[in-house]
Amino acid sequence: MLIREATTGDWSAIWPFFHEIVAAGETFTYPTDLGRDEARDWWLLSPPSRTVVAVDDSGAVLGTAKMNRNHMGNASHVASASYMVDPAYAGRGVGRALCAYTLEWARAEGYRVMQFNAVAETNERAVGLYRSLGFEVMGTLPEGFRHPAKGYVGLHVMYRTL
């Protein structure tokens, strides 16, 4: 697997799984009816932020990550990132590779902390992955996320130092 800078040409491969994941409403705080163009503008970030894709040997997009400054001013040393893996490639280490990549990017850019602002507690795969990479739950907003099947569930704030 290769992780490389995403291009606007990658959006046609990202959009189908991005749309599937967001429309399901189980993990992201994005509107479930988010349109293709608006989603592209939200996901494909401009420098100094970055968006990358994980691709296989044939060039197929397996997943994507965006990484950016989480806060401004005196908290501008805090990074954040978001990840989406095509469900067809779930469980194959794509998310772990993307997360590790974003941690290295944040370190290289001089960030001191990475913080995830909104991790649904029901997203057990993501919570488990983040914990395995050294993230901790700093707090949970009770009923902060409206899961389509499980109702109101907690929304974690997670972080780790770099």
Tab-separated table of all heavy atoms in Angstrom, residues 116-160:
chain	number	residue	atom	x	y	z
A	116	PHE	N	-8.872	14.423	18.407
A	116	PHE	CA	-10.070	14.118	17.628
A	116	PHE	C	-11.248	14.689	18.412
A	116	PHE	O	-11.463	14.323	19.565
A	116	PHE	CB	-10.236	12.619	17.423
A	116	PHE	CG	-9.089	11.965	16.698
A	116	PHE	CD1	-8.729	10.667	16.997
A	116	PHE	CD2	-8.380	12.623	15.721
A	116	PHE	CE1	-7.682	10.045	16.327
A	116	PHE	CE2	-7.324	12.019	15.046
A	116	PHE	CZ	-6.979	10.724	15.351
A	117	ASN	N	-12.013	15.553	17.794
A	117	ASN	CA	-13.068	16.289	18.481
A	117	ASN	C	-14.354	15.513	18.652
A	117	ASN	O	-15.143	15.832	19.545
A	117	ASN	CB	-13.394	17.575	17.710
A	117	ASN	CG	-12.189	18.461	17.561
A	117	ASN	OD1	-11.370	18.567	18.456
A	117	ASN	ND2	-12.070	19.092	16.402
A	118	ALA	N	-14.607	14.537	17.791
A	118	ALA	CA	-15.941	13.933	17.771
A	118	ALA	C	-15.874	12.489	17.281
A	118	ALA	O	-16.049	12.224	16.102
A	118	ALA	CB	-16.870	14.758	16.881
A	119	VAL	N	-15.613	11.566	18.193
A	119	VAL	CA	-15.577	10.142	17.858
A	119	VAL	C	-16.773	9.477	18.536
A	119	VAL	O	-16.830	9.404	19.766
A	119	VAL	CB	-14.256	9.473	18.329
A	119	VAL	CG1	-14.232	8.011	17.912
A	119	VAL	CG2	-13.040	10.223	17.783
A	120	ALA	N	-17.710	9.022	17.731
A	120	ALA	CA	-18.891	8.361	18.303
A	120	ALA	C	-18.443	7.134	19.090
A	120	ALA	O	-17.681	6.307	18.581
A	120	ALA	CB	-19.866	7.959	17.203
A	121	GLU	N	-18.916	7.024	20.327
A	121	GLU	CA	-18.486	5.897	21.164
A	121	GLU	C	-18.903	4.561	20.570
A	121	GLU	O	-18.295	3.534	20.858
A	121	GLU	CB	-18.992	6.047	22.592
A	121	GLU	CG	-20.480	5.899	22.759
A	121	GLU	CD	-20.927	6.110	24.203
A	121	GLU	OE1	-20.088	6.290	25.101
A	121	GLU	OE2	-22.147	6.095	24.429
A	122	THR	N	-19.912	4.547	19.712
A	122	THR	CA	-20.356	3.315	19.063
A	122	THR	C	-19.463	2.916	17.895
A	122	THR	O	-19.587	1.801	17.383
A	122	THR	CB	-21.799	3.477	18.557
A	122	THR	OG1	-21.877	4.682	17.779
A	122	THR	CG2	-22.780	3.536	19.715
A	123	ASN	N	-18.561	3.779	17.495
A	123	ASN	CA	-17.618	3.465	16.425
A	123	ASN	C	-16.447	2.695	17.051
A	123	ASN	O	-15.328	3.185	17.168
A	123	ASN	CB	-17.157	4.746	15.730
A	123	ASN	CG	-16.368	4.494	14.474
A	123	ASN	OD1	-16.024	3.361	14.143
A	123	ASN	ND2	-16.060	5.555	13.754
A	124	GLU	N	-16.749	1.476	17.470
A	124	GLU	CA	-15.803	0.688	18.260
A	124	GLU	C	-14.511	0.376	17.523
A	124	GLU	O	-13.444	0.323	18.148
A	124	GLU	CB	-16.483	-0.592	18.737
A	124	GLU	CG	-17.610	-0.315	19.720
A	124	GLU	CD	-18.417	-1.545	20.076
A	124	GLU	OE1	-18.118	-2.650	19.573
A	124	GLU	OE2	-19.364	-1.390	20.866
A	125	ARG	N	-14.576	0.167	16.222
A	125	ARG	CA	-13.343	-0.117	15.470
A	125	ARG	C	-12.405	1.073	15.524
A	125	ARG	O	-11.203	0.925	15.738
A	125	ARG	CB	-13.661	-0.487	14.030
A	125	ARG	CG	-14.318	-1.844	13.911
A	125	ARG	CD	-14.554	-2.196	12.482
A	125	ARG	NE	-13.347	-2.854	11.991
A	125	ARG	CZ	-13.287	-3.514	10.855
A	125	ARG	NH1	-14.332	-3.586	10.080
A	125	ARG	NH2	-12.167	-4.090	10.478
A	126	ALA	N	-12.953	2.273	15.314
A	126	ALA	CA	-12.116	3.469	15.341
A	126	ALA	C	-11.580	3.725	16.745
A	126	ALA	O	-10.385	3.984	16.914
A	126	ALA	CB	-12.899	4.677	14.839
A	127	VAL	N	-12.438	3.630	17.745
A	127	VAL	CA	-11.996	3.858	19.131
A	127	VAL	C	-10.887	2.861	19.486
A	127	VAL	O	-9.866	3.241	20.063
A	127	VAL	CB	-13.171	3.766	20.121
A	127	VAL	CG1	-12.679	3.807	21.559
A	127	VAL	CG2	-14.180	4.897	19.871
A	128	GLY	N	-11.060	1.609	19.120
A	128	GLY	CA	-10.034	0.599	19.390
A	128	GLY	C	-8.732	0.884	18.666
A	128	GLY	O	-7.642	0.745	19.243
A	129	LEU	N	-8.832	1.281	17.418
A	129	LEU	CA	-7.630	1.623	16.648
A	129	LEU	C	-6.913	2.794	17.295
A	129	LEU	O	-5.700	2.740	17.521
A	129	LEU	CB	-8.004	1.964	15.202
A	129	LEU	CG	-6.879	2.576	14.352
A	129	LEU	CD1	-5.721	1.599	14.195
A	129	LEU	CD2	-7.414	3.014	13.003
A	130	TYR	N	-7.646	3.844	17.589
A	130	TYR	CA	-7.008	5.034	18.169
A	130	TYR	C	-6.362	4.707	19.512
A	130	TYR	O	-5.237	5.139	19.789
A	130	TYR	CB	-8.017	6.174	18.328
A	130	TYR	CG	-8.698	6.586	17.040
A	130	TYR	CD1	-9.953	7.165	17.065
A	130	TYR	CD2	-8.104	6.389	15.788
A	130	TYR	CE1	-10.595	7.551	15.894
A	130	TYR	CE2	-8.744	6.755	14.617
A	130	TYR	CZ	-9.986	7.339	14.680
A	130	TYR	OH	-10.628	7.719	13.526
A	131	ARG	N	-7.046	3.936	20.340
A	131	ARG	CA	-6.454	3.542	21.629
A	131	ARG	C	-5.163	2.743	21.411
A	131	ARG	O	-4.185	2.941	22.124
A	131	ARG	CB	-7.438	2.712	22.445
A	131	ARG	CG	-8.550	3.515	23.090
A	131	ARG	CD	-9.412	2.588	23.962
A	131	ARG	NE	-10.614	3.190	24.455
A	131	ARG	CZ	-10.717	3.914	25.557
A	131	ARG	NH1	-9.667	4.136	26.294
A	131	ARG	NH2	-11.888	4.415	25.915
A	132	SER	N	-5.166	1.848	20.417
A	132	SER	CA	-3.976	1.032	20.156
A	132	SER	C	-2.798	1.871	19.679
A	132	SER	O	-1.648	1.450	19.786
A	132	SER	CB	-4.286	-0.070	19.137
A	132	SER	OG	-4.351	0.454	17.821
A	133	LEU	N	-3.086	3.068	19.172
A	133	LEU	CA	-2.031	3.971	18.709
A	133	LEU	C	-1.718	5.061	19.737
A	133	LEU	O	-1.035	6.033	19.434
A	133	LEU	CB	-2.429	4.596	17.371
A	133	LEU	CG	-2.453	3.605	16.200
A	133	LEU	CD1	-3.067	4.236	14.973
A	133	LEU	CD2	-1.058	3.076	15.906
A	134	GLY	N	-2.201	4.875	20.960
A	134	GLY	CA	-1.827	5.767	22.048
A	134	GLY	C	-2.800	6.883	22.367
A	134	GLY	O	-2.517	7.716	23.230
A	135	PHE	N	-3.932	6.931	21.716
A	135	PHE	CA	-4.933	7.953	22.024
A	135	PHE	C	-5.688	7.576	23.291
A	135	PHE	O	-5.868	6.397	23.587
A	135	PHE	CB	-5.932	8.104	20.869
A	135	PHE	CG	-5.383	8.842	19.688
A	135	PHE	CD1	-4.643	8.174	18.726
A	135	PHE	CD2	-5.589	10.202	19.531
A	135	PHE	CE1	-4.125	8.835	17.626
A	135	PHE	CE2	-5.087	10.880	18.434
A	135	PHE	CZ	-4.347	10.193	17.485
A	136	GLU	N	-6.131	8.586	24.000
A	136	GLU	CA	-6.947	8.400	25.188
A	136	GLU	C	-8.239	9.182	25.031
A	136	GLU	O	-8.261	10.217	24.356
A	136	GLU	CB	-6.219	8.928	26.432
A	136	GLU	CG	-4.927	8.220	26.755
A	136	GLU	CD	-4.254	8.843	27.964
A	136	GLU	OE1	-4.969	9.238	28.920
A	136	GLU	OE2	-3.016	8.950	27.941
A	137	VAL	N	-9.285	8.702	25.682
A	137	VAL	CA	-10.526	9.455	25.735
A	137	VAL	C	-10.375	10.491	26.837
A	137	VAL	O	-10.192	10.135	28.000
A	137	VAL	CB	-11.739	8.534	26.008
A	137	VAL	CG1	-13.006	9.362	26.222
A	137	VAL	CG2	-11.929	7.539	24.869
A	138	MET	N	-10.439	11.758	26.463
A	138	MET	CA	-10.321	12.846	27.438
A	138	MET	C	-11.656	13.103	28.118
A	138	MET	O	-11.709	13.526	29.261
A	138	MET	CB	-9.870	14.130	26.759
A	138	MET	CG	-8.394	14.161	26.484
A	138	MET	SD	-7.417	13.972	27.976
A	138	MET	CE	-7.933	15.348	28.943
A	139	GLY	N	-12.708	12.870	27.392
A	139	GLY	CA	-14.042	13.095	27.926
A	139	GLY	C	-15.067	12.631	26.912
A	139	GLY	O	-14.742	12.405	25.745
A	140	THR	N	-16.270	12.474	27.377
A	140	THR	CA	-17.353	12.027	26.521
A	140	THR	C	-18.561	12.921	26.762
A	140	THR	O	-18.980	13.105	27.908
A	140	THR	CB	-17.711	10.555	26.809
A	140	THR	OG1	-16.548	9.758	26.624
A	140	THR	CG2	-18.823	10.067	25.881
A	141	LEU	N	-19.083	13.466	25.691
A	141	LEU	CA	-20.303	14.251	25.769
A	141	LEU	C	-21.478	13.286	25.713
A	141	LEU	O	-21.737	12.683	24.661
A	141	LEU	CB	-20.367	15.244	24.602
A	141	LEU	CG	-21.639	16.081	24.488
A	141	LEU	CD1	-21.812	16.961	25.718
A	141	LEU	CD2	-21.587	16.906	23.221
A	142	PRO	N	-22.158	13.071	26.825
A	142	PRO	CA	-23.283	12.129	26.822
A	142	PRO	C	-24.335	12.562	25.798
A	142	PRO	O	-24.645	13.751	25.689
A	142	PRO	CB	-23.839	12.208	28.247
A	142	PRO	CG	-22.702	12.741	29.068
A	142	PRO	CD	-21.959	13.668	28.154
A	143	GLU	N	-24.830	11.612	25.055
A	143	GLU	CA	-25.863	11.846	24.048
A	143	GLU	C	-25.457	12.900	23.021
A	143	GLU	O	-26.291	13.579	22.436
A	143	GLU	CB	-27.192	12.214	24.720
A	143	GLU	CG	-27.717	11.112	25.603
A	143	GLU	CD	-29.113	11.391	26.138
A	143	GLU	OE1	-29.717	12.433	25.792
A	143	GLU	OE2	-29.607	10.540	26.891
A	144	GLY	N	-24.152	13.004	22.759
A	144	GLY	CA	-23.648	14.003	21.816
A	144	GLY	C	-23.772	13.613	20.360
A	144	GLY	O	-23.550	14.436	19.475
A	145	PHE	N	-24.123	12.367	20.094
A	145	PHE	CA	-24.221	11.875	18.714
A	145	PHE	C	-25.519	11.094	18.569
A	145	PHE	O	-25.821	10.232	19.393
A	145	PHE	CB	-23.025	10.966	18.406
A	145	PHE	CG	-22.937	10.538	16.976
A	145	PHE	CD1	-22.389	11.377	16.018
A	145	PHE	CD2	-23.395	9.289	16.580
A	145	PHE	CE1	-22.303	10.979	14.690
A	145	PHE	CE2	-23.312	8.880	15.265
A	145	PHE	CZ	-22.756	9.733	14.318
A	146	ARG	N	-26.270	11.421	17.525
A	146	ARG	CA	-27.528	10.715	17.277
A	146	ARG	C	-27.290	9.619	16.240
A	146	ARG	O	-27.293	9.856	15.048
A	146	ARG	CB	-28.615	11.686	16.817
A	146	ARG	CG	-29.997	11.041	16.792
A	146	ARG	CD	-31.090	12.008	16.373
A	146	ARG	NE	-30.925	12.357	14.965
A	146	ARG	CZ	-30.743	13.585	14.481
A	146	ARG	NH1	-30.695	14.612	15.301
A	146	ARG	NH2	-30.611	13.801	13.206
A	147	HIS	N	-27.077	8.413	16.732
A	147	HIS	CA	-26.847	7.252	15.879
A	147	HIS	C	-28.186	6.819	15.297
A	147	HIS	O	-29.190	6.773	16.013
A	147	HIS	CB	-26.224	6.120	16.711
A	147	HIS	CG	-25.733	4.990	15.912
A	147	HIS	ND1	-26.562	4.014	15.404
A	147	HIS	CD2	-24.475	4.659	15.509
A	147	HIS	CE1	-25.848	3.135	14.731
A	147	HIS	NE2	-24.577	3.506	14.777
A	148	PRO	N	-28.238	6.472	13.993
A	148	PRO	CA	-29.523	6.148	13.375
A	148	PRO	C	-30.195	4.896	13.927
A	148	PRO	O	-31.419	4.785	13.866
A	148	PRO	CB	-29.184	5.981	11.892
A	148	PRO	CG	-27.729	5.703	11.856
A	148	PRO	CD	-27.136	6.401	13.042
A	149	ALA	N	-29.435	3.971	14.501
A	149	ALA	CA	-30.032	2.744	15.040
A	149	ALA	C	-29.981	2.674	16.559
A	149	ALA	O	-30.870	2.100	17.178
A	149	ALA	CB	-29.318	1.517	14.453
A	150	LYS	N	-28.965	3.269	17.167
A	150	LYS	CA	-28.754	3.140	18.611
A	150	LYS	C	-29.219	4.357	19.399
A	150	LYS	O	-29.099	4.385	20.615
A	150	LYS	CB	-27.283	2.853	18.885
A	150	LYS	CG	-26.852	1.533	18.246
A	150	LYS	CD	-25.399	1.240	18.444
A	150	LYS	CE	-25.072	-0.084	17.749
A	150	LYS	NZ	-23.685	-0.436	17.875
A	151	GLY	N	-29.728	5.353	18.698
A	151	GLY	CA	-30.212	6.552	19.372
A	151	GLY	C	-29.072	7.444	19.817
A	151	GLY	O	-27.983	7.435	19.240
A	152	TYR	N	-29.315	8.200	20.864
A	152	TYR	CA	-28.312	9.144	21.359
A	152	TYR	C	-27.220	8.397	22.126
A	152	TYR	O	-27.506	7.682	23.085
A	152	TYR	CB	-28.974	10.199	22.241
A	152	TYR	CG	-29.835	11.144	21.430
A	152	TYR	CD1	-31.194	10.922	21.303
A	152	TYR	CD2	-29.264	12.224	20.769
A	152	TYR	CE1	-31.981	11.773	20.543
A	152	TYR	CE2	-30.043	13.081	20.009
A	152	TYR	CZ	-31.396	12.847	19.896
A	152	TYR	OH	-32.167	13.685	19.138
A	153	VAL	N	-25.986	8.571	21.651
A	153	VAL	CA	-24.830	7.911	22.257
A	153	VAL	C	-23.760	8.964	22.543
A	153	VAL	O	-23.826	10.090	22.051
A	153	VAL	CB	-24.265	6.799	21.336
A	153	VAL	CG1	-25.317	5.720	21.082
A	153	VAL	CG2	-23.757	7.370	20.023
A	154	GLY	N	-22.769	8.564	23.309
A	154	GLY	CA	-21.700	9.487	23.671
A	154	GLY	C	-20.799	9.837	22.499
A	154	GLY	O	-20.626	9.081	21.559
A	155	LEU	N	-20.226	11.029	22.597
A	155	LEU	CA	-19.281	11.525	21.604
A	155	LEU	C	-17.968	11.810	22.312
A	155	LEU	O	-17.898	12.690	23.179
A	155	LEU	CB	-19.850	12.806	20.969
A	155	LEU	CG	-19.243	13.312	19.691
A	155	LEU	CD1	-19.323	12.260	18.581
A	155	LEU	CD2	-19.961	14.575	19.243
A	156	HIS	N	-16.937	11.027	21.981
A	156	HIS	CA	-15.644	11.135	22.640
A	156	HIS	C	-14.795	12.283	22.073
A	156	HIS	O	-14.796	12.508	20.859
A	156	HIS	CB	-14.803	9.872	22.433
A	156	HIS	CG	-15.312	8.646	23.070
A	156	HIS	ND1	-15.912	8.607	24.316
A	156	HIS	CD2	-15.284	7.354	22.646
A	156	HIS	CE1	-16.231	7.366	24.621
A	156	HIS	NE2	-15.867	6.577	23.616
A	157	VAL	N	-14.047	12.908	22.935
A	157	VAL	CA	-12.903	13.733	22.555
A	157	VAL	C	-11.689	12.886	22.891
A	157	VAL	O	-11.541	12.442	24.036
A	157	VAL	CB	-12.870	15.075	23.322
A	157	VAL	CG1	-11.586	15.854	22.997
A	157	VAL	CG2	-14.106	15.891	23.025
A	158	MET	N	-10.842	12.639	21.898
A	158	MET	CA	-9.665	11.779	22.099
A	158	MET	C	-8.406	12.579	21.748
A	158	MET	O	-8.452	13.469	20.899
A	158	MET	CB	-9.763	10.520	21.236
A	158	MET	CG	-10.968	9.665	21.572
A	158	MET	SD	-11.058	8.102	20.647
A	158	MET	CE	-9.808	7.136	21.548
A	159	TYR	N	-7.299	12.222	22.399
A	159	TYR	CA	-6.049	12.938	22.120
A	159	TYR	C	-4.856	12.013	22.402
A	159	TYR	O	-4.956	10.972	23.047
A	159	TYR	CB	-5.932	14.184	22.999
A	159	TYR	CG	-5.193	13.900	24.283
A	159	TYR	CD1	-3.873	14.301	24.448
A	159	TYR	CD2	-5.793	13.170	25.301
A	159	TYR	CE1	-3.184	14.002	25.604
A	159	TYR	CE2	-5.110	12.869	26.454
A	159	TYR	CZ	-3.812	13.285	26.600
A	159	TYR	OH	-3.125	12.960	27.736
A	160	ARG	N	-3.729	12.452	21.879
A	160	ARG	CA	-2.447	11.874	22.259
A	160	ARG	C	-1.369	12.904	22.009
A	160	ARG	O	-1.482	13.740	21.116
A	160	ARG	CB	-2.135	10.569	21.557
A	160	ARG	CG	-1.888	10.693	20.069
A	160	ARG	CD	-1.092	9.558	19.502
A	160	ARG	NE	0.281	9.714	19.928
A	160	ARG	CZ	1.233	8.826	19.726
A	160	ARG	NH1	0.964	7.697	19.120
A	160	ARG	NH2	2.461	9.038	20.118
